[in-house]
């Protein structure tokens, strides 16, 4: 998928609401859409909606497919449920679940081994942006997180933008996406995430190096999601 729009539902929706949402979105062109649903819904959704693409929001970093690891879900298990993508290293997991670059790299490798495309998230804090150290910080994340193969989607998700309503300027996006293009072999797609909504998607669409979007809040409203996808695929 070259122009993905990734809907990160995070910890939202009951199962019934998730099914209603998927029924609702079949009315519009959703070929570029990837829905990152909570773990317990994935097998049900992939089964009921085989024409949609689903992602997990996390995967285990354990080295085995099965074993005594209470609460863990392996890449093998996700693949057996028809999951094609997996978000890795989101800043919320780094913050609340002690994840880091090393665990992100392991998870990305396991996903690739199981034909699941990792969606690897990097991005700086407000402090790093203010100090001017953000390019070095992102560069280091790339060096430490990225798997050996280029079969991944890379997401720039500045922490100061997620859930705040602030999106980077075109110049700020250009700077980071040029870094991506310069230092890594072309991955499947380069995406931007952080406070994208129906009102500002056209601003992000002007930045030609951004191939796709990672949406949080705006992905919980089917009407807004449709509007964003229309703007994005027509950009
Ligand atoms: P947001 O979240 O769109 O609600 O800012 C984006 C994300 O966390 O991926």
């Amino acid at each position: 998928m070259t122009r993905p729009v990734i809907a990160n539902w995070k910890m939202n929706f009951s199962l019934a609401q998730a099914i209603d949402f998927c029924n609702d979105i079949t009315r519009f062109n959703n070929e570029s859409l990837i829905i990152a649903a909570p773990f317990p819904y994935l097998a049900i959704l992939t089964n009921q909606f085989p024409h949609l693409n689903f992602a997990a929001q996390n995967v285990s970093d354990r080295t085995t497919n099965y074993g005594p690891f209470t609460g863990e879900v392996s890449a093998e298990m996700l693949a057996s449920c028809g999951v094609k993508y997996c978000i890795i290293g989101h800043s919320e997991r780094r913050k609340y679940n002690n994840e880091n670059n090393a665990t992100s790299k392991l998870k990305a490798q396991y996903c690739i081994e199981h034909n699941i495309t990792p969606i690897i998230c990097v991005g700086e804090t407000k402090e790093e942006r203010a100090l001017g150290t953000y390019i070095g910080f992102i560069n280091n994340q790339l060096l430490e997180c990225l798997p050996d193969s280029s079969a991944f989607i890379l997401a720039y998700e500045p922490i100061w933008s997620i859930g705040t309503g602030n999106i980077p300027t075109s110049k700020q996006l250009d700077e980071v996406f040029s870094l991506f293009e310069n230092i890594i072999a072309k991955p499947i797609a380069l995406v931007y995430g952080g406070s994208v909504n129906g009102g500002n998607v056209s601003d992000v669409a002007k930045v030609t190096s951004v191939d796709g979007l990672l949406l949080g809040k705006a992905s919980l409203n089917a009407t807004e999601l449709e509007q964003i996808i229309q703007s994005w695929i027509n950009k």
Side-chain angles (χ1 to χ4, degrees):
M1 190 176 299
T2 50
R3 299 190 51 71
V5 176
I6 304 154
N8 180 8
W9 282 354
K10 307 191 181 184
M11 196 172 73
N12 287 294
F13 291 153
S14 66
L15 175 59
Q17 288 170 326
I19 291 172
D20 279 353
F21 191 103
C22 290
N23 274 321
D24 197 11
I25 61 172
T26 50
R27 70 192 151 81
F28 59 82
N29 179 345
N30 47 46
E31 277 167 29
S32 50
L33 180 63
I34 300 170
I35 299 175
F39 273 148
Y41 307 162
L42 284 167
I44 297 161
L45 295 177
T46 55
N47 192 35
Q48 280 199 29
F49 301 97
H51 59 289
L52 296 178
N53 300 298
F54 291 97
Q57 298 174 15
N58 184 30
V59 65
S60 176
D61 61 359
R62 299 293 98 196
T63 51
T64 54
N65 294 331
Y66 303 100
F69 300 106
T70 304
E72 291 293 293
V73 175
S74 66
E76 163 97 359
M77 291 172 171
L78 292 176
S80 75
C81 293
V83 172
K84 299 277 180 353
Y85 300 86
C86 182
I87 297 177
I88 305 267
H90 191 282
S91 58
E92 287 156 10
R93 293 209 58 84
R94 292 174 190 257
K95 180 174 177 189
Y96 301 119
N97 301 84
N98 298 321
E99 296 194 5
N100 55 39
N101 295 337
T103 55
S104 298
K105 181 168 180 169
L106 278 176
K107 290 174 182 210
Q109 302 259 142
Y110 296 148
C111 282
I112 291 169
E113 281 164 23
H114 289 88
N115 292 322
I116 293 172
T117 303
I119 301 162
I120 303 170
C121 302
V122 298
E124 79 284 3
T125 61
K126 196 169 149 196
E127 291 72 31
E128 277 132 8
R129 172 63 60 174
L131 282 169
T133 51
Y134 56 96
I135 288 291
F137 179 84
I138 297 168
N139 205 357
N140 188 54
Q141 283 188 316
L142 297 176
L143 287 176
E144 294 187 0
C145 287
L146 295 186
D148 300 333
S149 138
S150 62
F152 58 86
I153 293 173
L154 180 61
Y156 173 49
E157 293 228 313
I159 297 168
W160 51 270
S161 174
I162 296 173
T164 62
N166 301 322
I167 63 163
T169 61
S170 306
K171 200 168 159 226
Q172 288 172 323
L173 285 176
D174 264 336
E175 185 185 26
V176 174
F177 281 77
S178 304
L179 171 77
F180 289 171
E181 288 176 339
N182 286 341
I183 71 167
I184 49 178
K186 181 79 179 129
I188 292 173
L190 298 173
V191 313
Y192 168 72
S195 292
V196 177
N197 58 39
N200 61 26
V201 62
S202 54
D203 295 332
V204 183
K206 286 182 198 135
V207 185
T208 48
S209 47
V210 180
D211 302 315
L213 302 171
L214 178 45
L215 310 170
K217 189 157 172 259
S219 74
L220 300 175
N221 177 315
T223 309
E224 187 167 16
L225 183 61
E226 177 178 11
Q227 187 205 331
I228 293 170
I229 291 178
Q230 293 309 343
S231 307
W232 195 251
I233 55 183
N234 294 325
K235 96 164 184 173

